[in-house]
């Protein structure tokens, strides 16, 4: 299919649309939609959910852990082509059109096209989910704070919308279905590639830390179940023999945005999710809370997540310099090393990334909730580990620094390609549905 520009444009006089093709009309949503008020009498229809990422999809296709009602009688009926908006999350873009008959939460708003209107639901699914459209939905929502905004029907109906011919709507939708699918396939392939490199990095860490750099040294079983056979010249200690204490911060009220420049910030638990410590994962501390903040990350220490989901409890990262303006919450620990044992802390940070050890840490964590575990200092510090001589620790850390940096660079390059494709996809959708480019049926 070929992309062109329209011969003539006009000012739509609608901020979120800008200039549009001269032939396209501007109407209010009330001229296209009306509310559908039908309710399910059985609750047996396909349950639909709305996401700002995937639009309208069957709930069965989503990994949702939220509470399910005992019965869905009285849920709203949605027909194919209906526009469904999560009233409470419209400001985040939680809306879309349905591809099938189903039901949705009574808290959602369901809009059906007015009979005889020029309407192709796939076109409007793309149109209403572009960033400018979401901004317009937000502007027309009511509420004191952003998290409490609601887009009510009377306000939605007053929003001005572009209306191309039905033929153009269908052409644009088919074009975008094809092009976005192509982008999505490329993104999926690149994501798989990045995942494989991530697994390669994890395998490299596992093998190097537990077996050392010299594969010719004699091996033996030291009785540490999670390690198996290890170099026989290495010692065995508990974590409490090398870590004197684990200090943590306190919970403080923080903003929903990160600290800037020399502002004070409190770290989020996500600061140690990705093989290391990311100081950018923080929230700005509110001024009245600064006096309560404590425990700044210090160079050479390791930050550890003590409370998290089973797969992330014990996540850790090495601190490469002092961060005097950042502080730990009560869910994160910072290592205080014993002066009686010489240890290379960067080597230990790699050890804590070994898959088998992370499994041991997760097993040691406790908690009544299956989705949240807590790791006590006692359980953590009693874990046995292998300790090679200090020079070997440094050699392993230096080797892994070099090798993982190379892999990280490859992953970063792939992620940059993914972000460019996502941006291209977003721009393509925006330009097509608002008429910045003309889509034709010609190949």
């Amino acid at each position: 299919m070929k992309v062109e520009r329209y011969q003539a444009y006009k000012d739509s006089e609608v901020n979120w649309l800008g200039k549009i093709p001269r032939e396209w009309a501007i109407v209010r949503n009330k001229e296209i939609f009306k509310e559908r008020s039908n309710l399910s009498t059985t609750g047996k229809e396909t349950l639909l959910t709305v996401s700002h990422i995937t639009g309208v999809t069957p709930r069965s296709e989503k990994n949702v852990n939220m509470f399910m009602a005992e019965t869905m009688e009285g849920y709203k009926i949605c027909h194919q082509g209906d526009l469904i908006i999560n009233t409470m999350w419209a400001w985040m873009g939680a809306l879309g059109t349905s591809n099938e008959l189903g039901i949705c939460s009574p808290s959602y708003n369901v809009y059906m096209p007015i009979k005889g209107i020029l309407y192709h639901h796939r076109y409007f699914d793309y149109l209403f989910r572009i960033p400018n459209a979401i901004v317009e939905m937000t502007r027309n929502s009511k509420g004191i704070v952003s998290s409490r905004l609601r887009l009510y029907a009377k306000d939605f109906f007053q929003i001005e919308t572009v209306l191309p011919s039905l033929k153009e709507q269908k052409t644009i939708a088919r074009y975008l279905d094809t092009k976005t699918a192509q982008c999505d396939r490329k993104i999926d392939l690149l994501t798989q590639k990045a995942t494989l490199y991530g697994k390669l990095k994890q395998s490299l860490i596992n093998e190097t830390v537990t077996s050392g750099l010299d594969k010719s040294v004699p091996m033996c079983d030291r009785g540490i179940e999670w390690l198996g056979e290890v170099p026989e010249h290495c010692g065995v200690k508990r974590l409490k023999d090398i870590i004197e204490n684990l200090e943590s911060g306190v919970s403080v009220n923080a903003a929903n945005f990160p600290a800037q420049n020399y502002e004070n910030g409190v770290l989020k638990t996500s600061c140690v999710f990705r093989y290391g410590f990311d100081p950018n994962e923080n929230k700005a501390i509110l001024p009245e809370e600064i006096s309560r903040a404590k425990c700044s990350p210090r160079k050479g220490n390791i930050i550890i997540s003590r409370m998290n989901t089973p797969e992330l409890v014990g996540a850790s990262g090495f601190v490469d310099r002092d961060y005097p303006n950042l502080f730990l919450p009560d869910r994160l620990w910072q290592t205080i090393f014993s002066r009686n044992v010489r240890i290379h802390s960067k080597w230990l940070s790699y050890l804590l990334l070994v898959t088998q050890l992370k499994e041991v840490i997760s097993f040691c964590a406790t908690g009544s909730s299956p989705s949240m575990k807590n790791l006590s200092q006692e359980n953590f510090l009693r874990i046995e580990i292998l300790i090679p001589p200090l020079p070997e620790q440094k050699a392993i850390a230096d080797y892994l620094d070099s090798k993982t940096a190379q892999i990280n660079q490859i992953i970063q390059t792939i992620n940059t390609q993914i972000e460019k494709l996502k941006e291209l996809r977003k721009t393509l959708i925006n330009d097509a549905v608002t008429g910045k480019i003309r889509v034709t049926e010609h190949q």
Side-chain angles (χ1 to χ4, degrees):
M1 301 183 83
K2 187 172 65 174
V3 176
E4 306 171 347
R5 283 184 59 82
Y6 287 83
Q7 289 185 349
Y9 287 82
K10 64 182 179 182
D11 186 353
S12 68
E13 299 183 355
V14 177
N15 288 337
W16 73 274
L17 290 171
K19 290 186 177 181
I20 60 172
R22 185 174 57 189
E23 298 82 8
W24 290 16
I26 293 292
V27 298
R28 294 191 185 277
N29 284 333
K30 66 180 181 180
E31 299 174 59
I32 304 175
F33 300 98
K34 64 180 181 180
E35 278 196 272
R36 187 184 294 280
S37 57
N38 309 62
L39 302 178
S40 173
T41 56
T42 65
K44 301 297 184 183
E45 296 87 352
T46 300
L47 178 60
L48 303 175
T49 188
V50 184
S51 163
H52 69 285
I53 298 174
T54 55
V56 177
T57 54
R59 184 186 172 109
S60 60
E61 296 179 3
K62 309 286 286 186
N63 184 19
V64 180
N65 297 318
M66 294 177 64
F67 170 77
M68 286 281 288
E70 290 185 10
T71 177
M72 288 178 284
E73 293 180 23
Y75 271 44
K76 290 184 177 180
I77 292 286
C78 320
H79 286 254
Q80 181 182 18
D82 284 357
L83 174 68
I84 307 174
I85 300 180
N86 183 332
T87 312
M88 296 180 291
W89 296 100
W91 60 276
M92 281 190 63
L95 54 88
T97 60
S98 176
N99 291 313
E100 60 185 295
L101 174 68
I103 55 176
C104 68
S105 167
S107 64
Y108 293 173
N109 279 353
V110 179
Y111 302 99
M112 60 186 289
I114 296 172
K115 188 175 182 180
I117 196 70
L118 304 178
Y119 174 83
H120 182 64
H121 78 95
R122 289 295 299 151
Y123 169 79
F124 281 92
D125 188 89
Y126 284 117
L127 175 66
F128 284 157
R129 295 175 63 204
I130 65 173
N132 281 355
I134 302 307
V135 170
E136 185 68 6
M137 302 280 185
T138 304
R139 193 177 69 84
N140 285 273
S141 298
K142 298 292 189 293
I144 299 175
V145 295
S146 61
S147 61
R148 298 293 182 184
L149 291 178
R150 302 287 186 272
L151 179 62
Y152 298 109
K154 64 182 180 64
D155 299 306
F156 169 75
F157 284 141
Q158 292 305 308
I159 295 175
E160 290 184 298
T161 302
V162 69
L163 188 65
S165 70
L166 183 60
K167 180 181 178 181
E168 285 176 302
Q169 290 180 40
K170 291 180 177 179
T171 300
I172 291 169
R174 283 195 296 267
Y175 171 80
L176 290 177
D177 284 346
T178 299
K179 292 298 182 180
T180 56
Q182 292 173 354
C183 282
D184 291 342
R185 282 195 293 272
K186 291 178 182 178
I187 290 171
D188 286 343
L189 289 172
L190 287 170
T191 302
Q192 292 173 28
K193 189 175 180 181
T195 300
L196 287 174
Y197 274 104
K199 290 180 178 178
L200 172 63
K201 181 167 70 172
Q202 183 65 68
S203 296
L204 178 67
I205 293 172
N206 292 348
E207 175 67 19
T208 306
V209 173
T210 59
S211 299
L213 296 171
D214 185 355
K215 306 306 179 185
S216 65
V217 300
M219 306 289 284
C220 70
D221 189 339
R222 301 300 299 272
I224 305 177
E225 186 176 351
W226 68 269
L227 277 174
E229 286 201 338
V230 296
E232 65 177 18
H233 66 278
C234 295
V236 173
K237 290 185 181 293
R238 294 184 184 274
L239 283 171
K240 68 179 182 180
D241 296 324
I242 59 177
I243 298 175
E244 184 176 283
N245 187 32
L246 293 165
E247 61 178 359
S248 63
V250 296
S251 294
V252 296
N253 292 322
N256 288 322
F257 50 83
Q260 301 291 328
N261 300 323
Y262 295 102
E263 287 182 327
N264 294 292
V266 61
L267 292 166
K268 298 191 291 186
T269 54
S270 54
C271 72
V272 290
F273 283 3
R274 300 178 182 87
Y275 291 95
F277 172 62
D278 183 359
N280 296 312
E281 287 290 310
N282 69 74
K283 292 183 178 181
I285 299 174
L286 298 180
E288 62 271 20
E289 292 284 280
I290 293 176
S291 62
R292 296 181 57 243
K294 66 176 186 177
C295 190
S296 293
R298 294 184 295 278
K299 182 178 180 180
N301 286 340
I302 300 170
I303 305 297
I304 302 169
S305 173
R306 70 161 187 85
M307 188 175 183
N308 219 306
T309 58
E311 64 273 13
L312 292 175
V313 67
S316 59
F318 179 79
V319 182
D320 60 350
R321 65 180 179 85
D322 291 340
Y323 291 90
N325 296 99
L326 295 180
F327 302 91
L328 269 64
D330 59 352
R331 291 190 173 192
L332 292 177
W333 283 329
Q334 179 170 220
T335 54
I336 305 298
F337 291 104
S338 171
R339 296 181 180 180
N340 299 324
V341 178
R342 298 182 68 195
I343 194 78
H344 193 279
S345 57
K346 190 62 181 293
W347 168 83
L348 181 61
S349 73
Y350 279 118
L351 176 70
L352 291 174
L353 295 177
V354 171
T355 301
Q356 300 95 308
L357 179 54
K358 289 194 291 186
E359 291 172 352
V360 172
I361 292 171
S362 180
F363 179 78
C364 291
T366 59
S368 57
S369 170
S371 61
M372 185 62 64
K373 296 297 180 182
N374 183 62
L375 185 62
S376 70
Q377 287 202 30
E378 181 182 3
N379 286 344
F380 178 72
L381 294 177
R382 70 157 60 111
I383 295 174
E384 289 184 305
I385 62 169
L386 178 80
I387 299 187
L390 187 61
E392 189 173 340
Q393 293 178 33
K394 184 179 186 306
I396 290 173
D398 290 345
Y399 174 80
L400 288 176
D401 280 348
S402 173
K403 293 298 182 181
T404 58
Q406 294 173 16
I407 297 175
N408 288 340
Q409 183 58 56
I410 294 172
I411 293 174
Q412 180 58 50
T413 300
I414 294 172
N415 287 337
T416 299
Q417 293 175 323
I418 291 173
E419 290 306 311
K420 286 181 178 179
L421 281 170
K422 287 181 178 179
E423 191 59 35
L424 172 64
R425 186 185 193 277
K426 186 187 299 183
T427 301
L428 187 63
I429 293 172
N430 180 83
D431 290 353
V433 296
T434 59
K436 304 300 183 291
I437 60 174
R438 184 185 181 194
V439 179
T440 71
E441 294 289 352
H442 304 297
Q443 295 294 329

